[in-house]
Amino acid sequence: MMNERRKCMGDNSRTTNSKKNVSANLALYFMQSLLSFVVRTIFIKRLGAELIGLDNLLLNILAMLSVAELGFSTAISYALYKPLAENDISKINAFMSFYRKVYNAIGCIILVLGSILAIFLKNLVKGYDYKYIYLVYFLYLFYTAVQYFISYKEVLLFADQKEYKIFKFNFALTMLIYILQILLLLFHPDYVFYICITIICKILYRSIANRYITKYYSDVDFKSKSKLEVNETKKIRENVLGLFVYKVGEYAINCTDNIIISAFINIITVGLYTNYLSIVTVFRTILKRVFAGITASFGNLSTMNDKIKEEDTFIKMSFLGLLLSGYISLILLLLFNPLVTVWLGKQYVLSFISVCFIVINFYLAVNQIPLDTVKEAKGFYKKDRYVPLIQAVINVGLSVVLAIIIGFNGVLIATSLSYILTVTWNKPYMIYKYVFEKKPTAYFIRQVEYILVCCIIYFACSKLFCVINLSVGFLKLLVEGALSSVIYALMITVFFCRTKEYKYLYSLALRIIKRK
């Protein structure tokens, strides 16, 4: 089976596999986003903001336990590239056997740590008492641990760029989960049953995928007694150590806010905040997927060792990032609260100041994507590997202090400051110094110019909408969204039409439209 599969590699190239994986992932993501939006709406209407806040809180707590994974999946996936390309079955056996043992140990560690953490659960839920909180927590903990016992084989499929092979299972089970959740919430709204259905379906998917991978890679012995060489395990440990720093930093930045808000403010605020985050996350993920396809192209360009060409390409990428992030930020700033009002009702709306900081944090985060694209393409991680950890410490420390002093907005301000004090200036500086070998002065000037232009566009739109003064509803969203888009396009053209990067993107857009 393995040999037959390898013979097909000529017809099924890496590029073809990448396109299939991207297409499958995008299709699944858009379907999940739409259905999760529907489920979230019904959940809030039937079970309330407190339980949606509790649900997100528990998921964030268990995400903290998943940090125990330490980035082993990424390190093993990278290590499997060569033996897969060479069809070295014995080496694949050794890696998968090692990985199985590691994941079994991680599953056990998560069960133990999660059980200990349960002692402090009540302290993290300020002013809210749900009688089944421990039952729900341990159900989530059970699934978090169990998935490590049954999902380890998937890394082989990912390393072989064959994720699309299990797309049909993922799609079918995802549809089943959402359909059952919707039916349950409509006809028998019970939070515990809701969790049970979700967990059972997810375990079913993992089990089916596990069985399929075993058959597909029939030559691989996943329980082999083969052992890795000392230098191989040493290299994995080194990679895991570097990835662990990033993993901890990423968790502390993205998942600790809800825990701090719940512990120092209340669970209802967590529910309100996550409603906004659910929309922001969709846009953030789309932007990441847009730039994911550029990484390999930049990596190929970097092999030419042409610094001028590399910087020129990065400037175009960066401008595209500014265009997209600026436009989304503008629309969110103008229409976030009207959208939530139409979607859920006035009682679920946050203050405009809170919305401002949510949008600022979104803008600061997505502005890192073009920079991360360069880092990933160049394999540039060691130089600033501790910066995410420093950002995480600043974020958590300031969040706790400002939550006590200011409240909810203090947590949002802390996230903004953690970006501004670290990656916002450090990442461009490091990339320009070590990749382009020059100072990043021009980059920072472009950033400031663009922010000023976006501010001008925002004030122009807000003044116009005050004159129009439409009542909150679908008509307001439609009209103001369309007008904002037109004004944004016109103003960007006026301010940037003479730049090389604008002309390039404009001509590229025309070529794409003509091809379509």
Side-chain angles (χ1 to χ4, degrees):
M1 177 66 180
M2 191 76 167
N3 291 330
E4 290 177 10
R5 187 177 58 78
R6 283 288 147 213
K7 287 175 184 176
C8 296
M9 283 297 289
D11 299 323
N12 212 0
S13 66
R14 288 271 177 198
T15 303
T16 304
N17 287 342
S18 295
K19 289 179 180 178
K20 288 181 179 180
N21 291 333
V22 169
S23 299
N25 286 332
L26 281 175
L28 185 63
Y29 178 73
F30 281 116
M31 185 270 292
Q32 284 178 324
S33 298
L34 179 62
L35 288 175
S36 65
F37 185 80
V38 174
V39 169
R40 189 179 189 88
T41 303
I42 301 172
F43 188 110
I44 292 170
K45 297 292 185 183
R46 303 289 282 174
L47 294 175
E50 292 92 344
L51 280 179
I52 198 73
L54 177 65
D55 194 63
N56 283 277
L57 172 67
L58 294 178
L59 290 173
N60 285 155
I61 292 171
L62 292 166
M64 176 175 64
L65 295 176
S66 295
V67 173
E69 196 266 346
L70 304 177
F72 266 105
S73 59
T74 306
I76 293 291
S77 181
Y78 181 80
L80 281 167
Y81 290 153
K82 186 178 178 180
L84 279 167
E86 296 175 351
N87 195 24
D88 188 344
I89 302 297
S90 62
K91 189 61 68 178
I92 294 171
N93 288 344
F95 275 115
M96 292 310 298
S97 178
F98 173 76
Y99 189 51
R100 178 178 63 85
K101 292 172 185 175
V102 168
Y103 255 36
N104 285 346
I106 290 171
C108 294
I109 291 168
I110 285 175
L111 276 175
V112 173
L113 292 179
S115 299
I116 295 170
L117 191 60
I119 299 170
F120 308 98
L121 190 58
K122 283 285 187 180
N123 297 327
L124 298 176
V125 187
K126 184 179 179 181
Y128 180 65
D129 186 24
Y130 177 65
K131 61 181 178 179
Y132 298 121
I133 186 170
Y134 286 104
L135 174 60
V136 172
Y137 174 79
F138 278 105
L139 283 171
Y140 269 137
L141 176 62
F142 170 75
Y143 171 69
T144 303
V146 164
Q147 66 177 333
Y148 285 97
F149 296 107
I150 59 177
S151 68
Y152 70 95
K153 294 178 185 177
E154 292 175 27
V155 74
L156 185 58
L157 211 62
F158 297 151
D160 204 19
Q161 290 194 306
K162 298 288 179 66
E163 302 103 294
Y164 64 87
K165 290 287 185 181
I166 56 173
F167 171 74
K168 56 188 175 183
F169 307 126
N170 200 349
F171 183 86
L173 268 297
T174 299
M175 286 294 292
L176 178 63
I177 289 172
Y178 284 123
I179 290 169
L180 291 175
Q181 285 177 339
I182 290 169
L183 291 173
L184 179 70
L185 290 170
L186 286 175
F187 298 107
H188 185 66
D190 186 287
Y191 182 45
V192 175
F193 284 172
Y194 172 89
I195 299 300
C196 290
I197 284 175
T198 305
I199 290 174
I200 290 168
C201 289
K202 285 184 176 181
I203 290 177
L204 180 62
Y205 161 69
R206 295 287 188 189
S207 301
I208 293 171
N210 184 297
R211 188 175 180 82
Y212 176 83
I213 294 167
T214 303
K215 287 186 176 181
Y216 187 70
Y217 295 94
S218 57
D219 290 353
V220 176
D221 182 2
F222 292 96
K223 296 182 180 179
S224 169
K225 294 183 179 179
S226 302
K227 293 186 178 180
L228 296 175
E229 296 175 8
V230 176
N231 64 316
E232 289 171 330
T233 53
K234 182 182 178 182
K235 190 172 183 179
I236 290 172
R237 282 199 300 270
E238 289 174 354
N239 289 336
V240 164
L241 181 61
L243 289 164
F244 174 65
V245 174
Y246 276 97
K247 198 173 180 71
V248 171
E250 185 180 16
Y251 170 81
I253 295 162
N254 296 322
C255 299
T256 55
D257 283 359
N258 285 341
I259 297 174
I260 293 168
I261 292 166
S262 177
F264 290 94
I265 303 166
N266 56 59
I267 198 73
I268 296 176
T269 305
V270 175
L272 299 180
Y273 179 46
T274 53
N275 290 334
Y276 285 77
L277 281 186
S278 65
I279 297 172
V280 164
T281 301
V282 170
F283 288 119
R284 188 171 174 177
T285 304
I286 290 171
L287 289 178
K288 282 186 176 180
R289 304 256 167 120
V290 167
F291 281 92
I294 304 174
T295 304
S297 300
F298 195 92
N300 291 333
L301 174 64
S302 66
T303 60
M304 298 167 61
N305 201 29
D306 186 341
K307 302 294 182 185
I308 296 174
K309 183 68 175 175
E310 286 180 8
E311 186 187 5
D312 181 62
T313 303
F314 170 71
I315 289 171
K316 291 169 184 173
M317 280 169 39
S318 180
F319 185 66
L320 174 62
L322 288 171
L323 285 178
L324 296 173
S325 60
Y327 172 68
I328 295 170
S329 298
L330 174 71
I331 295 296
L332 290 177
L333 205 55
L334 291 166
L335 298 176
F336 223 152
N337 276 345
L339 173 62
V340 173
T341 302
V342 172
W343 173 28
L344 298 171
K346 234 175 184 178
Q347 67 271 33
Y348 293 97
V349 170
L350 293 172
S351 70
F352 180 69
I353 295 297
S354 298
V355 171
C356 286
F357 281 110
I358 291 172
V359 174
I360 288 170
N361 291 337
F362 164 77
Y363 184 83
L364 291 172
V366 298
N367 236 7
Q368 304 301 311
I369 296 174
L371 295 163
D372 289 332
T373 301
V374 175
K375 288 184 66 174
E376 186 176 342
K378 301 286 287 186
F380 177 75
Y381 285 106
K382 289 186 177 180
K383 296 288 184 183
D384 63 342
R385 62 183 180 274
Y386 294 112
V387 173
L389 203 55
I390 296 170
Q391 182 187 5
V393 171
I394 293 172
N395 182 46
V396 173
L398 284 177
S399 291
V400 171
V401 173
L402 294 180
I404 296 169
I405 299 173
I406 302 174
F408 171 61
N409 288 336
V411 179
L412 302 179
I413 292 169
T415 303
S416 300
L417 289 174
S418 73
Y419 274 107
I420 293 168
L421 294 173
T422 55
V423 293
T424 299
W425 66 268
N426 178 266
K427 199 176 290 183
Y429 172 79
M430 298 296 281
I431 285 175
Y432 267 85
K433 181 178 180 180
Y434 293 104
V435 177
F436 305 137
E437 297 178 355
K438 60 190 300 186
K439 293 182 178 181
T441 308
Y443 171 85
F444 288 121
I445 291 173
R446 283 195 303 273
Q447 294 288 321
V448 172
E449 286 175 347
Y450 198 83
I451 290 171
L452 291 174
V453 169
C454 284
C455 289
I456 293 170
I457 297 172
Y458 168 75
F459 285 114
C461 289
S462 58
K463 290 294 181 184
L464 176 62
F465 297 158
C466 284
V467 175
I468 297 173
N469 195 27
L470 291 171
S471 58
V472 174
F474 285 109
L475 180 62
K476 179 183 178 70
L477 295 174
L478 186 64
V479 172
E480 293 188 0
L483 286 174
S484 300
S485 301
V486 171
I487 293 169
Y488 182 81
L490 290 174
M491 296 285 272
I492 290 296
T493 301
V494 169
F495 282 100
F496 298 103
C497 64
R498 295 181 182 179
T499 63
K500 186 166 61 173
E501 52 270 26
Y502 177 92
K503 291 176 182 177
Y504 170 78
L505 292 177
Y506 180 75
S507 62
L508 180 63
L510 286 180
R511 289 200 299 272
I512 293 172
I513 292 169
K514 286 178 181 178
R515 280 203 298 269
K516 295 295 182 184

